[in-house]
């Protein structure tokens, strides 16, 4: 059972470039999340989804977009990368009725 | 929005010592969760607390859900080197908003052997 899988693990982007962070889970969880973790800070919610076809903004959505065409996948898109988006990004999922959120291993993104 | 204040920000202790950290909130949560993050990994759930006043243990870990539902603490007894990591508290509300998991800023724990 793979759980939550994120790719890539590391990426360096130039200012203005775009990229997609991939997240997939094989637990049939309907809730999925994207968080960012800045040094010395907790996890801030970027976007979340309560099921396929449904997404909504979290605390810090600016500069990001998401889609949820299937239950398994929840990609995060950066259209015009900025240095302020340098961070570690975590994808997580959980059952609607569950308390335990399962996290991926993270994607470390540097924008230069 | 809801904010969680977690303290201390960091701790340096000797192996064998006990550790205590806590989390307070400006608003009520129905569930408190404690996560641990190892270096280079995502957070992993340690303990979940479901009702006010609840005291729950998981091995050397003990956590309590405050009776006001606005705070929680985590104790680690007889620390060992593998306890090193960042510990996060998180609050969750049930019902229509139970998707929203709010995290504290974390407590960085260093254990000197």
């Amino acid at each position: 059972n793979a759980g939550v899988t994120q790719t890539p693990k590391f990426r360096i982007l130039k200012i203005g470039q775009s990229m997609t962070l991939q997240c997939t889970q094989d637990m049939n969880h309907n809730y999925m999340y994207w968080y960012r973790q800045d040094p010395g800070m907790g996890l801030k919610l970027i976007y979340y989804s309560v099921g396929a076809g449904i997404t909504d903004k979290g605390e810090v959505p600016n500069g990001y977009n998401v889609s949820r065409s299937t239950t398994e996948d929840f990609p995060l898109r950066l259209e015009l990368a900025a240095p302020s988006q340098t961070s570690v990004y975590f994808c997580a999922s959980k059952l609607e009725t569950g308390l335990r959120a399962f996290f991926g291993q993270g994607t470390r993104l540097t924008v230069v | 929005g809801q904010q969680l204040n977690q303290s201390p920000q960091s701790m340096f202790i000797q192996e064998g010592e006990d550790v205590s950290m806590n989390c307070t909130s400006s608003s009520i949560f129905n569930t408190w969760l404690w996560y641990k993050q190892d270096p280079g990994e995502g957070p992993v759930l340690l303990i979940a607390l479901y009702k006010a006043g609840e005291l729950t243990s998981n091995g050397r870990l003990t956590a309590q859900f405050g009776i006001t539902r606005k705070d929680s603490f985590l104790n680690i007894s007889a620390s060992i080197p593998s306890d090193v990591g960042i510990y996060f508290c998180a609050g969750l509300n049930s019902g229509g908003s139970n998707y929203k998991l709010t995290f504290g800023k974390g407590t960085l724990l260093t254990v000197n052997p």
Side-chain angles (χ1 to χ4, degrees):
Chain A
N1 190 343
V4 179
T5 303
Q6 289 183 238
T7 56
K9 285 189 167 51
F10 304 94
R11 183 73 186 267
I12 298 174
L13 279 183
K14 293 184 179 178
I15 295 171
Q17 285 186 322
S18 61
M19 77 165 291
T20 299
L21 282 68
Q22 301 291 346
C23 176
T24 187
Q25 52 90 13
D26 61 0
M27 297 173 283
N28 204 31
H29 287 172
N30 41 2
Y31 286 10
M32 293 188 75
Y33 308 83
W34 274 106
Y35 289 90
R36 60 177 287 171
Q37 183 180 26
D38 299 325
M41 306 293 286
L43 296 155
K44 293 187 177 180
L45 183 64
I46 305 172
Y47 270 95
Y48 67 95
S49 168
V50 299
I54 306 170
T55 62
D56 210 341
K57 297 177 181 179
E59 300 175 69
V60 290
N62 291 343
Y64 307 95
N65 277 301
V66 293
S67 60
R68 186 94 182 271
S69 56
T70 66
T71 299
E72 294 78 19
D73 300 307
F74 190 41
L76 178 72
R77 178 88 178 157
L78 284 71
E79 290 294 349
L80 291 170
S84 61
Q85 293 177 305
T86 294
S87 189
V88 181
Y89 291 84
F90 287 100
C91 177
S93 72
K94 78 175 187 76
L95 288 170
E96 178 177 354
T97 54
L99 297 175
R100 182 175 179 175
F102 292 79
F103 283 81
Q105 288 192 312
T107 296
R108 185 175 295 275
L109 176 67
T110 303
V111 182
V112 296
Chain B
Q2 294 170 318
Q3 295 187 3
L4 296 184
N5 297 309
Q6 190 172 346
S7 64
Q9 280 189 316
S10 61
M11 302 181 74
F12 296 84
I13 62 171
Q14 293 297 125
E15 183 176 0
E17 290 183 356
D18 297 342
V19 172
S20 184
M21 58 192 79
N22 66 76
C23 208
T24 59
S25 170
S26 57
S27 54
I28 289 171
F29 286 107
N30 292 331
T31 302
W32 282 91
L33 307 167
W34 284 93
Y35 282 83
K36 184 193 177 196
Q37 183 181 22
D38 290 326
E41 302 287 330
V44 174
L45 183 66
L46 297 174
I47 287 182
L49 300 158
Y50 304 100
K51 59 181 182 179
E54 179 182 358
L55 185 70
T56 295
S57 293
N58 179 6
R60 293 179 295 105
L61 306 178
T62 302
Q64 184 157 29
F65 191 153
I67 57 172
T68 65
R69 294 198 285 156
K70 290 184 176 183
D71 62 304
S72 177
F73 72 74
L74 175 71
N75 285 345
I76 305 172
S77 62
S79 59
I80 59 178
S82 62
D83 289 335
V84 163
I86 304 175
Y87 292 79
F88 290 102
C89 61
L92 183 66
N93 280 319
S94 58
S97 60
N98 78 336
Y99 61 86
K100 194 170 182 182
L101 197 57
T102 302
F103 284 86
K105 291 185 179 181
T107 295
L108 174 61
L109 178 63
T110 303
V111 179
N112 295 318

